[in-house]
Amino acid sequence: MSERLQPGDTAPAFTLPDADGNDVSLVDHKGRKVIVYFYPRALTPGCTKQACDFTDNLDLLAAAGYDVIGVSPDKPEKLAKFRDEENLKVTLVGDPAKATLEAYGAFGEKKNYGKTVMGVIRSTIVVDEEGKIEHAFYNVKATGHVAKIIRDLGI
């Protein structure tokens, strides 16, 4: 199981393909704050709710200086379908190898319907302008989480 990140840690660098197959790197966002959220699977009810909440609040977050990147183990083709079906505006990237998910402590043992399974741990990491972890939220709920982040960040 990977270590969970703590405030003050350096955010692990990543370059992953977006829904159109273009590389997205954390370093491209240096100088801006980035909300990197990890979700289990595109086109599922909870993940759709969460992605729609981020999309609905994207202007507010952007105005406060935050970019948003959603990371799942899905391939770009599935991310494109997810984006198009739900009219998502957030940047979605795929990590089929799960290396970035593991680096961020967002993949490991979790409870699913009472059973312990290996999978994506729904998590949100806030990275500051210098690439350091500002906040690390693990085992978050899909519903209401974006509103909580906005409150916690004082936006």
Side-chain angles (χ1 to χ4, degrees), residues 35-38 46 49-51 53-54 57 61 122-126 135-153:
I35 296 170
V36 185
Y37 79 97
F38 299 90
K49 173 76 177 117
Q50 187 177 23
D53 280 354
F54 271 117
N57 288 285
L61 292 165
R122 194 181 301 277
S123 311
T124 301
I125 309 298
V126 180
H135 298 279
F137 305 101
Y138 290 97
N139 294 310
V140 301
K141 301 277 181 240
T143 304
H145 178 60
V146 175
K148 182 182 183 322
I149 289 174
I150 290 168
R151 278 194 312 276
D152 288 352
L153 297 177

Side-chain angles (χ1 to χ4, degrees), residues 29 31-35 57-68 126-129 134 146 149-155:
H29 296 267
R32 284 185 62 79
K33 294 184 180 200
V34 185
I35 296 170
N57 288 285
L58 199 56
D59 290 344
L60 176 70
L61 292 165
Y66 291 89
D67 295 334
V68 179
V126 180
V127 181
D128 71 14
E129 300 91 339
E134 196 171 277
V146 175
I149 289 174
I150 290 168
R151 278 194 312 276
D152 288 352
L153 297 177
I155 299 172

Side-chain angles (χ1 to χ4, degrees), residues 15 48 54-55 64 73 83 108 110 121 133 144-145 147:
T15 300
T48 298
F54 271 117
T55 292
R83 177 195 61 201
K110 65 178 192 172
I121 299 161
I133 305 299
H145 178 60

Side-chain angles (χ1 to χ4, degrees), residues 108-119:
E109 281 189 4
K110 65 178 192 172
K111 293 272 191 239
N112 196 13
Y113 300 109
K115 285 192 208 132
T116 300
V117 297
M118 291 297 284

Side-chain angles (χ1 to χ4, degrees), residues 8-22:
D9 290 349
T10 299
F14 64 82
T15 300
L16 295 169
D18 70 7
D20 298 314
N22 301 313

